[in-house]
Amino acid sequence: MATFAPRRVFPTLDSLPRSYFLGHHHAGLSKMKTMLSQIDLVIECRDYRVPLTSRNPLFEENLAGRRRLIVYTKQDLGSEGNVQDDIREDMIKKWHHPSSVLFSDHRDKNSVRRVLMFAREHVSAIDSLTGSRMMIVGMPNVGKSSLLNALRKLGVGKGKAAFTGAQPGVTRKIGTTVKIIEGPESAGGVYLVDTPGVFVPYVPNAESMLKLALCGSVKDTIIAPTTLADYLLYHLNLYEPHVYAAYTSPTNDIMSFLDAIARKTGRLQKGGHPDLEAAALWIIQRWRGGQLGRFVLDEVTDDAFDKELRNTESMGGSMTQARREQKNVSRERAKQKRLDSG
């Protein structure tokens, strides 16, 4: 019996959409900028599973001039708590030195407590009689609202203040300020402003779009579920193909993979035919929930962050330049379609 060999490269899909920058993203970012004078700390959330790809340079460009805490959320979905994870986290901290970095799981009280401790120390350092107003920002569905609710619950013992959901776009407007730490009688407390997730205007490559879609930063209707499931299968095979042993033997064939899952889980259409799209969406949700392996999609190395910065600079970085690049790509695609049809 031949030894299974996983794919080492995922095929390039130039036809994938490269943008999910919606109207409320632009409006939200503009509003954040106008509020910046009232804010003394920006808490930027990034997804632990995609520490490079979930970085949005628009926040650095538009919210400059305020102290920043970077929180890598959903640590529980990308870390197994082993030595390799510790090494990866040390590398990520080095990327941002001397800026502050924390890793968070909103369900873990110790993790949430570390964010609260940072907030308290920040307030003590600025020595404000009126307390502190902080803003929490990040890409869509990165876990901002979940972290805010956890900070509020542990900090002041109150229930949810922000709605959360499995799909992006639950928070569409700037929210009201939410108290997360009580202040002493002579001073104000610590208040946090929830904000809508803001996508990058243009994603520089197709694989980055696949990563963000797989993590739930874009709606599941934007990229075909079978394509997204194939990208997941590619990573599962690199990680450990036995994680899906309950459904099928190791395979690189997405159709046979989804066929087996559909039959095993009863996702069948009329006549007993497997519903491949339903199987794809189901297996994607299993991974998003941490039930199909916990691993990171980005390659984390000492120089990975510098490479990401260079890539961002090469595509312009600003919203105007990114949109121009997007139009150029769309124009080239349309030209190619005309040539193919002619």
Side-chain angles (χ1 to χ4, degrees):
M1 185 176 178
T3 303
F4 174 71
R7 292 171 287 179
R8 293 296 170 185
V9 178
F10 193 77
T12 302
L13 303 174
D14 289 328
S15 61
L16 286 181
R18 300 286 187 84
S19 180
Y20 188 66
F21 190 74
L22 306 177
H24 69 273
H25 296 172
H26 182 271
L29 187 64
S30 298
K31 181 66 174 178
M32 292 176 214
K33 196 171 181 180
T34 65
M35 295 177 64
L36 201 58
S37 62
Q38 308 164 36
I39 302 298
D40 51 69
L41 177 70
V42 173
I43 300 176
E44 182 183 343
C45 294
R46 300 177 185 175
D47 193 316
Y48 185 96
R49 298 165 296 179
V50 279
L52 290 167
T53 311
S54 60
R55 168 184 170 262
N56 189 341
L58 289 180
F59 293 129
E60 294 160 34
E61 180 182 328
N62 289 274
L63 305 179
R66 290 293 177 270
R67 188 181 180 191
R68 183 182 305 266
L69 167 65
I70 299 173
V71 178
Y72 285 92
T73 58
K74 306 187 182 184
Q75 181 187 26
D76 54 312
L77 301 180
S79 170
E80 296 178 327
N82 56 33
V83 174
Q84 287 75 19
D85 292 321
D86 292 339
I87 293 172
R88 183 192 307 113
E89 290 173 12
D90 285 342
M91 284 185 188
I92 292 173
K93 287 178 181 177
K94 288 177 183 176
W95 290 349
H96 303 293
H97 183 78
S99 297
S100 301
V101 174
L102 292 174
F103 302 95
S104 171
D105 165 13
H106 72 271
R107 297 181 184 88
D108 177 51
K109 287 185 178 181
N110 288 331
S111 171
V112 176
R113 195 172 284 116
R114 283 192 288 271
V115 181
L116 286 171
M117 189 179 302
F118 183 94
R120 287 193 182 95
E121 290 173 353
H122 171 76
V123 175
S124 297
I126 62 174
D127 194 24
S128 171
L129 294 176
T130 57
S132 171
R133 283 167 60 93
M134 304 176 180
M135 180 183 288
I136 189 165
V137 303
M139 293 272 271
N141 211 21
V142 79
K144 301 179 302 299
S145 297
S146 294
L147 179 58
L148 181 149
N149 287 333
L151 291 169
R152 175 179 164 89
K153 182 178 180 180
L154 192 61
V156 297
K158 293 186 178 180
K160 287 185 177 181
F163 292 108
T164 60
Q167 291 291 297
V170 175
T171 306
R172 299 178 70 89
K173 296 188 297 185
I174 302 289
T176 56
T177 55
V178 176
K179 182 180 283 189
I180 60 170
I181 298 175
E182 295 283 2
E185 293 182 7
S186 59
V190 176
Y191 293 85
L192 192 58
V193 181
D194 195 18
T195 65
V198 177
F199 204 78
V200 289
Y202 181 75
V203 179
N205 59 73
E207 187 165 9
S208 292
M209 193 69 178
L210 285 169
K211 289 176 181 178
L212 291 170
L214 186 55
C215 290
S217 283
V218 303
K219 287 189 175 180
D220 290 335
T221 54
I222 301 299
I223 295 176
T226 51
T227 299
L228 211 50
D230 191 23
Y231 187 64
L232 172 60
L233 176 62
Y234 162 70
H235 275 284
L236 290 176
N237 285 335
L238 292 175
Y239 168 72
E240 177 52 78
H242 293 297
V243 295
Y244 58 82
Y247 311 109
T248 183
S249 57
T251 179
N252 289 316
D253 187 333
I254 185 57
M255 292 307 172
S256 66
F257 176 72
L258 293 177
D259 184 286
I261 288 171
R263 295 182 188 280
K264 283 278 188 179
T265 62
R267 284 167 169 77
L268 305 174
Q269 298 173 324
K270 287 183 179 180
H273 299 293
D275 189 334
L276 301 185
E277 184 168 311
L281 289 170
W282 183 80
I283 203 70
I284 289 166
Q285 290 299 337
R286 293 282 290 177
W287 180 75
R288 286 177 182 166
Q291 297 155 320
L292 207 64
R294 299 164 188 251
F295 52 87
V296 171
L297 301 178
D298 281 338
E299 184 179 359
V300 176
T301 60
D302 284 327
D303 62 347
F305 189 68
D306 288 336
K307 288 180 180 177
E308 172 68 14
L309 289 176
R310 287 195 295 272
N311 288 338
T312 302
E313 290 169 0
S314 68
M315 64 167 266
S318 75
M319 195 179 301
T320 302
Q321 290 167 309
R323 282 174 175 165
R324 188 181 301 128
E325 180 64 23
Q326 185 180 5
K327 287 181 180 178
N328 289 338
V329 171
S330 298
R331 194 178 297 117
E332 286 299 317
R333 284 181 188 161
K335 181 180 177 182
Q336 189 60 48
K337 282 184 180 179
R338 288 195 299 271
L339 292 173
D340 292 343
S341 61

